Amino acid sequence: MTGRRVVLIEPRSTEVAGAPELAAVRFISLLPEDWDYEPEFAGKRFTVRLGCPTKTDLDLDLKMARALDRIFTDSSLRAWRWTDITHHT
C-alpha cells in the first residue's frame, strides 16, 4: 500500500527564506529514497504531493510526520515550515 499526502511548504513569518525552488531541491534531497513526490510552485511557497510505502493510515501519519519533522531540522530549511493540507485539496 502506498499512502499519499499533500504538504504545503512556506516561509516562516520570522525568517528570510530565499527562493522556494532552492528549498524544494533541498527538501526533495532529504526525502527517504522509497518516497515519491510531485512539487508544485505558487509564488513564495510550494506544495508537494508525497507518497510512501505503508501498512496502515496510522503508520502513514506517524511515518510522514516524523520524517518531515526530521527534514525540517536541517539548517538549510530552518526558515521554512510544513503543514499537511491533504484534506484541503
Side-chain angles (χ1 to χ4, degrees), residues 9-11 17-30 41 44-46 48 71-72 76-81:
I9 301 172
E10 59 189 346
E21 295 84 0
L22 295 176
V25 168
R26 185 64 181 149
F27 171 77
I28 290 166
S29 75
L30 294 169
F41 297 91
K44 295 186 184 277
R45 60 190 191 166
F46 60 100
V48 183
I71 287 168
F72 282 86
S76 65
L77 294 171
R78 189 178 344 207
W80 297 85
R81 65 185 181 102

Side-chain angles (χ1 to χ4, degrees), residues 43-60:
K44 295 186 184 277
R45 60 190 191 166
F46 60 100
T47 59
V48 183
R49 294 183 185 283
L50 296 170
C52 74
T54 186
K55 294 179 182 166
T56 68
D57 283 344
L58 180 58
D59 288 342
L60 173 66

Side-chain angles (χ1 to χ4, degrees), residues 61-74:
D61 291 341
L62 290 173
K63 188 176 188 177
M64 283 204 166
R66 286 180 181 152
L68 292 171
D69 286 342
R70 179 188 52 77
I71 287 168
F72 282 86
T73 62
D74 187 90

